[in-house]
Structures are given as structure tokens and as C-alpha cells.
Amino acid sequence: MQFTGPHSRLRGTYGRAHAIHHPLRLWRAAAMALGVALLTTMSAGTTLAQTPGGNASYVNPMIGTGTGPGDSENLFPGPSMPFGMVQLSPDTEGHNFGYHYYDKDIQGFSMTHMSGVGCANDGEVFFQPTTGPVETNVSEYESPYSHEQEHASPGYYQVNLLRWGIQAALTATDRTGEVRLTFPAGKTANLLVPVSHTLNHSVASQVRVVGNNELEGSVTNLTFCSSNRPYTVYFVMQFSHPFAKYGTWSGFRDGAPAAVTADSREAMQGDQSKRAGAYVSWPASADAKTVVVKIGISYVDLKGAENNLAAEAVGKSFSQIRHQATAAWNKALSVIDVTGGTPRQKTVFYTALYHSLLIPSIFNDADGRYLGFDGKIHHVASGHNIYDNFSGWDIYRSEMPLVALIEPRRMADIAQSIVLMYQQGGWIGRWPQVNQYTNVMAGSPLSIVMATAWLDGIHNFDIRTGWQGMWKDATQAPPNGSSYKGQLGMKWINTLHYVPNDKVGYGSVSQIQEDSIAYASLYDLARALHKDDAARTLYDRALYYRNVFDPADRMFRPKNADGKWVTPFDPKKGDGFIEGSGWHYQWFAPADLAWVVNAVGRDTFNQRLTHFFSYKKPGWYPQYYNPYNETDLEAPFEFNFSGEPWMTQHVVRRVLNENYTDDPNGIPGNDDAGEMSSWAVMSMLGFYSVDPASQAYELVSPVFSKAVIHLQQPYAGKTFTIQSGPNPTANEYIQGVKLNGQSHAKNWIWFQNISKGGNLSFDLGPMPNKSWGSAPADAPPSLSNEQP
């Protein structure tokens, strides 16, 4: 999911310029010049940490944080546990995406960030350490920083705030953040909590000073992408040292200085036009002072935040929590071990795997309570979690299939979370954030996710209730006034069997294409559940995409309700398509590509697809492949369906080499909750599925000499090993394949070939073998190959 547009942040517009303190540019210049000195004067044990061992040592969290401000590269570098509720990270810009590598200042830190999504979001429980007088405007408390004095690794982040001479180190548990602040000697130390500051626009917030070592409060924010549904984050902050002074401030967001009230214990933001905050201070000391801040959050209530803190952080040192986070990441990343390849490829691979395991997010508190889609408090059974923040339109393609493969028990909880969404809210959302339907994007992607999980063999969730929700979403429109809008144009789908462009203006062609892949997935599921009547209905619906295929120009194009094609039609334009053009969507029938190849004509199909990849360098082209978005992620693998699998091997390797790099711009576009990263993980391993519910995985040339996937229950196998010879980097073309020691002519395998364990061996070479996998019988299955 990509949203682009003019974003900018004008520094200094949040309040008065510095009249007493040095101008910010002088602070930056002086601090950069003295950076090494600042680093070496920190007390023992506070220098930048070494990267941990294990597979986590290959991860570079800075990948994907590049450009800015407001650009679509928007991953966060701060600590989070695998799928954790907390994503504690620095923010270099406000009311936007959070952190961008090329921004010059850190405005502060916040507890929540959604990984790589396409709209400003989250950023709740914002804070910033300073020294000296208390300031309340961003321009007066933000600080320059240097990447030379910044370190990030899984579960840990550290940076020097050069303006203040403060070192900030961060780590996290599932539901809490831990912040170690080292203040310089001889300066009053402050922690500012501008509670109304978020990366979206808070509508209400409050903060209270409790005793002399605690703050508590809440932030009510709005869901992203203009869906504007309110949700609340509650927090409790506890300090390792009692503070000596405290106070609050309040005012308007118009940039005027806020009114600071010393010794005040409570501040509230009454509406979206206002702001509020609190501060605590410690007196200057002769030596550097270290203060540790423990922060618990909850989406239920303050009690939940306090309980999460007690359950996960109280009584543990910063070092203990950091060690636990590192150990958790090493365990999560050790599910796949690779050997061979270049150091850069290992960094790209394990960073992509890391980014694939950040979201969806744990939503329930440590005591099992969570807020359901009905607005009521529910409890999840011990040993299980509820998950939220599903970037459905993106992640059904490869991120959720990857999680199903390597973390099936977690996938069962994710699937059950979707079931409970339906039970409580009445519908299965397509991009739910926290416990709210946002109606962002198209189709029924979370139905595909559940169907894929069940067909993979993950059965420990309530498929009976889940099926009811999936069937309802596939055949019915929500009533007027429903917070969920369902599949757009359902009235017309049920009557005309396509989405007319003059009745549904948002991506009419893309809508029915996305709906059809959901129908195809449910058809596969219905067969597995022995629901024969439903299977016949869903098979027919899965072919509705054909009703927007024009046999004259042999392309998908928009059609009006009267059955006439929209004219004029330019496939380089986006009318009728979501975040793409007719070129991007001319391939999008992943469940039935055999029909598309035949309808276009095999030679014409291959000519067009070859032209699609003939760009000189990657970019946002209307007529070429777009590696920056999900609209055509499956396109590189479609040569496997059209008799030219060597072209799939070539273009996949090209996309990996050009678009997935070991630098801040190393992920193409938004990562979209791990979708783009998971594409790289699977492609680098040597397989990918354009239609995950089909259970067919297309083969490409792996980039490592050996990769071992360590399988978990309920899968029958222990390991699945992929081997490819001594120098796969220089040999991108498949010469032959053996599956469990037997020659394998097909250019795909079944998911069960992986989950049962075994060995997949590639013979690679520098030139294409145009005979391997190119016969019609070697192509992956399609709906056209069978009858219901």
C-alpha cells in the first residue's frame, strides 16, 4: 500500500525561535564537531553497544528508514519484540511517519509505530529528555544527532542527543519499553512528556504526576488514512530515581508558548486544537546521572498498563530486558539458517526476515484482557494472544504465508484473532487497526489469510465460525450505517458479476480482481471442508474477473453498468485500478493464470511480460514493473505459467539486486507491515506463491548455497533444506532440480513438500536452461485446470 503526496515539515514553526539559547544550527555544528568527545566522556558502560551474536547480528534495522521528511520509506529503527505491542523508537518528524534516516533532528521518542505502512499513524506516549529550562515547543526541545553515535539492533537502540549531551538507550518487552537516560554532569535533567503529541492527530489526552516517581495517563488518537476512528492508549511511567520537581503545561497547537505550571500534577487536552504535557526534573549533580524509565502501555485501561509493567519489567534491570529481547530475536530468526551468499545478502535476508516478524501486533494485556471489536473487554485464554493491525491487502500475498510456514502456532492465534473480529464486530475487516475497521484498500484479504492457514494444516482455531464470517463477507453487503463497508459494489457483483466503473469509482477493475482471488481461496477451503455447494458457487465467483477482460485488446479494463467498456482506455493510466495502471493489473488473476495466458495468447503474453521488465532502472512507471508496490508483486513469477521460467529466474534476481540493498533505502517503497520484506525472504530462499491458498509454490534460483528451515508443529517434518551449489550469486539460472533426491521437472512444488520436510536441490548455471520447467505440464496449477 503506497500513499504519496506533498509532505513537509517546516522547522521552527512550532513556536518562537531561540532568543536566549544558541540557534539550532550552531548547536548542530558544534555537537557534530565534538561528537567523539561527547562519546568518550560518557561514564563507563554507556558507550555504543556491540551488535549481538546469532542471526540477529546480521540484522540492520536502519534498512528501510531512508529519505524523508514524509517520504514513503518509513520503517522504525527502535526496539520491539517479535510482533510486540510496543514499538519504541525515535521520531525525527511529527504528524507523519516517525523516523527518516536523512532527517537531522530527533524530536523525541514514542511507544507505538506501525511498521512501514502508507499513512501517518500512532506515535502515542511521546517523550523527550532535555537539560536546563523546561521547553514545550518542538523546535526548542528537538536535538540534532549523528549516525556515527547511533546504534540499532533487534531489541535495542541507542543514540546521543547532541544538543543536550544526553545518551538515550532503549529496549522493550512485548508490552513495555525501557529507557536508560544518561544526563551530563552539572545540568538539570528533565524528561518532557508532551502527551498530546502523536504522529497522527490526538483528539484527547491527559497526564498525571503520581507521587515522586511515576506518571500515568492516556492518549486518544485516530485511526490512519483518514478513517478517523478513535482509540485510546493508556500508559504508566516509573522512574528509577525520585524526581525533585514536576509540573504540567497546556495550550493550543497554534505554536504559541504553552503555559507551564510548576507543581501541577495534572494536565488535559480537551480537543484536537489543544495540547498538553508534563515534565519531571532531577537536580544537577557533579557526575553524570543515569535514570531508567519503565513504561507500560495498554489499550484497555490504566490497570492494564500497570499490570503489564509489573508482569514484564518491574524487578528487571535494563541489561536483563535487553538480553531477553536479543534472545527472543535470535530464537525467532534462527528458524531459518543460511550459509553461503555474500555478507550483504545475509544482512538483506535476515533484516527482511526481521521486518516480516514485527506486525500484526499483540493486542491483549499480560492478564489476557483486550478490547474487542464490540468495544467490550474480553479475555484470551492463557498461552494465547490476540493480534491487531492487519495490513490485509498487502500481507496476504507473502508475509502471512511466511508466518504460517515458520511460526504456525502464532499463525493459529492470528487466525483466531480474525475469527473473534467477526464474532465481535460482525465482519472480517480488510485493514483493521487496533479494534477498529478502517475500510482501507480492497477485497477480502483476511479471508485469504485464514483459508491459507487452514489449508497449510494449521487447524487449532475456530474454522466453523471463521467460515461463517468468510462466506458472509464474500456474498453480502454490510447494512447502511455499518462501520465496515465490505467488498465495494457487492450489489453489482451479485447481479452483474463485476464491479461497474460508473457505480463504484474506486478501482472497479482491481476490486473484482481482488474479490476473485478471495473467492478462489474460499473455493479451495470449501473443498477441504467438504462444502460442495459452496465450492461450486465460489468457483463461479472466482471467475468473475473474466468479465472485465476485453478480448479485443486482450487486457483487463473498466466496464460500466450497461456492459459497455469505458472509453477511451489508456492502460498507462489508473482509471479503474487501485494504486496502479492497466499495465500493472493486466497480469492480476493469480488463481487462474493459465486462462490469462491462453486468453492473451502465449506468445503475446510473454512479449508483453518481457516488455514489462525492460525498464533501464527501477521507478514508478505506468507501463513497467513497479517494485515499490503490491499491485504487481506476483508478475516476476508469471513466466513460470507461460513456459519461460528462466525469465522468472532472471527478473527475480534483478529485482533483489536492484531494490533490496544494505542501506537506508534498501526496501522498495513502503514495507507495508513486512510484505515487501517477506517477498524478498521467499525469493531469496528459492520459492514464492502467487496464490498461497492453492498450496503451489513457484520455484526460482536461491541466492544461498544452503538454507535450512526448521519446521514446527503441526507440520510433520523437522527441517526443509534448500541447496544450490557453491556460487549461487554468479549463477542465476536453474539447470535442474531434485526434490528429495528425485529429478523434478515441474517449476513449482506443493506446500506440503516443504511442511513434510525434505531436501530441495538446485543445479544452477550462468546461462538459462530453456528446457527445464518450460513444458505446459510443468506449469503451476490454475482454476482452469480443474472443475469444481
Side-chain angles (χ1 to χ4, degrees):
M1 180 180 64
Q2 308 287 335
F3 292 86
T4 59
H7 296 286
S8 65
R9 175 165 63 85
L10 302 178
R11 301 187 187 279
T13 60
Y14 293 88
R16 59 182 174 84
H18 286 277
I20 299 175
H21 304 296
H22 292 292
L24 191 55
R25 62 180 181 273
L26 296 182
W27 272 106
R28 184 180 297 117
M32 294 297 182
L34 295 174
V36 176
L38 281 169
L39 183 60
T40 56
T41 56
M42 290 293 178
S43 59
T46 61
T47 54
L48 292 180
Q50 297 297 312
T51 302
N55 288 342
S57 65
Y58 294 110
V59 175
N60 178 7
M62 292 298 174
I63 292 177
T65 64
T67 65
D71 201 89
S72 61
E73 296 274 355
N74 58 352
L75 289 172
F76 63 87
S80 176
M81 291 282 278
F83 304 95
M85 177 187 290
V86 163
Q87 307 89 25
L88 174 56
S89 195
D91 294 324
T92 60
E93 54 191 39
H95 308 302
N96 221 312
F97 291 118
Y99 180 96
H100 277 122
Y101 187 86
Y102 299 110
D103 283 342
K104 302 300 184 183
D105 303 302
I106 288 177
Q107 295 187 355
F109 306 85
S110 57
M111 292 287 287
T112 58
H113 299 81
M114 285 199 292
S115 180
V117 302
C119 295
N121 64 86
D122 285 9
E124 292 93 17
V125 195
F126 179 84
F127 59 90
Q128 173 76 326
T130 67
T131 63
V134 170
E135 303 287 358
T136 63
N137 288 336
V138 173
S139 61
E140 296 172 333
Y141 58 68
E142 66 182 0
S143 172
Y145 70 109
S146 167
H147 294 304
E148 294 179 356
Q149 298 178 52
E150 182 185 42
H151 172 85
S153 61
Y156 182 75
Y157 175 84
Q158 184 173 301
V159 69
N160 287 338
L161 301 176
L162 302 179
R163 181 179 186 180
W164 308 114
I166 296 170
Q167 186 187 81
L170 319 176
T171 189
T173 69
D174 284 334
R175 301 169 180 87
T176 76
E178 188 109 347
V179 184
R180 185 179 64 202
L181 302 171
T182 303
F183 295 95
K187 299 283 186 72
T188 300
N190 310 309
L191 186 73
L192 312 180
V193 184
V195 68
S196 56
H197 184 293
T198 68
L199 294 174
N200 203 341
H201 290 283
S202 63
V203 295
S205 61
Q206 58 181 332
V207 60
R208 287 184 295 273
V209 180
V210 181
N212 64 354
N213 72 336
E214 185 174 303
L215 295 178
E216 66 180 25
S218 64
V219 187
T220 300
N221 208 352
L222 297 175
T223 53
F224 80 145
C225 289
S226 301
S227 52
N228 293 335
R229 299 188 62 81
Y231 64 94
T232 299
V233 179
Y234 300 88
F235 69 91
V236 173
M237 288 186 179
Q238 295 178 352
F239 302 92
S240 60
H241 291 67
F243 42 81
K245 294 183 179 180
Y246 58 87
T248 64
W249 69 83
S250 58
F252 289 88
R253 293 188 191 268
D254 58 7
V260 178
T261 306
D263 300 325
S264 169
R265 287 188 174 270
E266 186 168 2
M268 297 183 66
Q269 172 199 6
D271 58 51
Q272 202 165 10
S273 69
K274 298 192 173 67
R275 59 184 174 128
Y279 69 89
V280 295
S281 300
W282 296 266
S285 59
D287 299 314
K289 177 188 290 292
T290 298
V291 176
V292 175
V293 189
K294 295 179 182 289
I295 310 169
I297 67 169
S298 168
Y299 291 88
V300 179
D301 53 23
L302 278 173
K303 176 185 175 183
E306 187 173 8
N307 288 344
N308 289 340
L309 204 57
E312 297 182 0
V314 171
K316 298 178 182 178
S317 69
F318 181 95
S319 296
Q320 286 175 315
I321 292 176
R322 181 194 173 189
H323 176 76
Q324 290 176 355
T326 301
W329 275 113
N330 269 322
K331 180 180 179 181
L333 297 169
S334 68
V335 72
I336 305 176
D337 287 316
V338 302
T339 54
T342 66
R344 182 197 70 83
Q345 287 172 327
K346 285 185 177 180
T347 293
V348 169
F349 177 82
Y350 280 110
T351 302
L353 182 58
Y354 166 79
H355 284 142
S356 301
L357 303 178
L358 287 172
I359 189 172
S361 310
I362 293 172
F363 190 53
N364 59 286
D365 288 339
D367 61 7
R369 297 184 307 149
Y370 68 96
L371 205 60
F373 275 75
D374 53 6
K376 299 177 181 178
I377 296 175
H378 299 264
H379 288 77
V380 63
S382 176
H384 297 273
N385 284 311
I386 298 297
Y387 292 84
D388 69 345
N389 298 335
F390 290 96
S391 184
W393 184 81
D394 309 293
I395 63 176
Y396 83 84
R397 303 165 198 264
S398 57
E399 195 249 1
M400 285 288 93
L402 176 62
V403 173
L405 172 62
I406 63 177
E407 289 211 38
R409 283 170 285 192
R410 191 187 301 273
M411 189 66 219
D413 278 0
I414 288 172
Q416 183 63 20
S417 299
I418 301 171
V419 173
L420 292 169
M421 180 198 315
Y422 163 66
Q423 282 187 318
Q424 297 157 5
W427 298 92
I428 297 173
R430 53 178 173 265
W431 213 132
Q433 182 183 354
V434 292
N435 65 327
Q436 301 287 348
Y437 298 110
T438 69
N439 297 302
V440 172
M441 304 313 294
S444 297
L446 296 188
S447 292
I448 302 173
V449 168
M450 278 202 292
T452 301
W454 183 269
L455 293 165
D456 283 351
I458 301 170
H459 293 171
N460 47 336
F461 66 96
D462 183 2
I463 191 61
R464 183 173 181 273
T465 302
W467 171 263
Q468 294 171 0
M470 290 185 277
W471 177 260
K472 180 180 177 181
D473 195 51
T475 58
Q476 299 179 34
N480 292 334
S482 172
S483 60
Y484 180 58
K485 303 306 179 187
Q487 293 181 2
L488 298 186
M490 180 60 73
K491 169 186 174 181
W492 307 104
I493 295 172
N494 287 336
T495 55
L496 299 178
H497 303 164
Y498 64 93
V499 178
N501 197 68
D502 55 344
K503 303 298 181 181
V504 177
Y506 178 55
S508 61
V509 180
S510 303
Q511 295 283 354
I512 195 61
Q513 289 176 305
E514 291 285 355
D515 295 340
S516 293
I517 181 64
Y519 301 148
S521 299
L522 295 187
Y523 159 68
D524 290 327
L525 179 61
R527 288 193 307 162
L529 298 177
H530 307 293
K531 296 180 180 293
D532 296 340
D533 291 341
R536 293 186 183 92
T537 298
L538 289 161
Y539 182 88
D540 291 341
R541 292 177 80 91
L543 304 184
Y544 284 176
Y545 77 92
R546 298 180 184 178
N547 295 325
V548 291
F549 181 84
D550 183 359
D553 58 16
R554 290 179 283 182
M555 295 194 79
F556 295 105
R557 57 182 294 186
K559 181 190 288 188
N560 287 330
D562 61 5
K564 296 180 180 179
W565 299 108
V566 173
T567 57
F569 172 62
D570 183 349
K572 294 194 295 293
K573 295 184 177 179
D575 184 25
F577 303 97
I578 296 173
E579 296 186 2
S581 69
W583 268 98
H584 297 139
Y585 278 94
Q586 71 167 306
W587 331 101
F588 193 70
D592 199 18
L593 280 164
W595 185 90
V596 178
V597 172
N598 183 65
V600 174
R602 176 170 165 167
D603 290 344
T604 301
F605 183 94
N606 284 328
Q607 289 169 5
R608 287 182 179 179
L609 195 55
T610 299
H611 173 74
F612 194 54
F613 289 98
S614 66
Y615 53 87
K616 293 183 179 179
K617 63 179 182 179
W620 285 81
Y621 304 111
Q623 76 276 33
Y624 297 125
Y625 177 68
N626 178 6
Y628 304 100
N629 206 358
E630 285 77 10
T631 51
D632 51 5
L633 276 187
E634 84 295 336
F637 303 92
E638 295 191 1
F639 288 108
N640 277 27
F641 292 81
S642 62
E644 296 188 357
W646 64 90
M647 285 297 295
T648 282
Q649 298 150 33
H650 172 67
V651 297
V652 169
R653 189 67 70 90
R654 178 189 177 184
V655 172
L656 287 171
N657 290 338
E658 290 182 340
N659 297 104
Y660 292 87
T661 56
D662 182 14
D663 60 65
N665 298 328
I667 293 176
N670 299 340
D671 196 34
D672 285 323
E675 174 53 34
M676 308 305 279
S677 287
S678 61
W679 186 98
V681 170
M682 286 193 169
S683 298
M684 295 176 84
L685 288 173
F687 56 81
Y688 184 90
S689 180
V690 303
D691 175 18
S694 75
Q695 304 290 281
Y697 278 73
E698 292 73 52
L699 298 179
V700 293
S701 49
V703 304
F704 299 109
S705 299
K706 183 178 180 180
V708 180
I709 302 173
H710 301 279
L711 300 166
Q712 303 174 15
Q713 292 182 342
Y715 300 138
K718 298 297 184 182
T719 60
F720 184 72
T721 301
I722 303 158
Q723 294 176 299
S724 64
N727 190 14
T729 300
N731 297 288
E732 67 181 38
Y733 292 105
I734 297 174
Q735 308 300 302
V737 172
K738 289 185 177 180
L739 179 63
N740 297 325
Q742 301 296 315
S743 293
H744 187 79
K746 298 184 184 297
N747 60 41
W748 60 281
I749 59 175
W750 291 112
F751 176 83
Q752 287 74 19
N753 294 135
I754 303 173
S755 64
K756 288 181 180 179
N759 185 280
L760 183 66
S761 179
F762 292 84
D763 179 19
L764 302 182
M767 301 298 291
N769 176 3
K770 296 186 178 181
S771 63
W772 178 83
S774 58
D778 296 336
S782 291
L783 282 175
S784 299
N785 302 138
E786 59 185 272
Q787 293 296 320

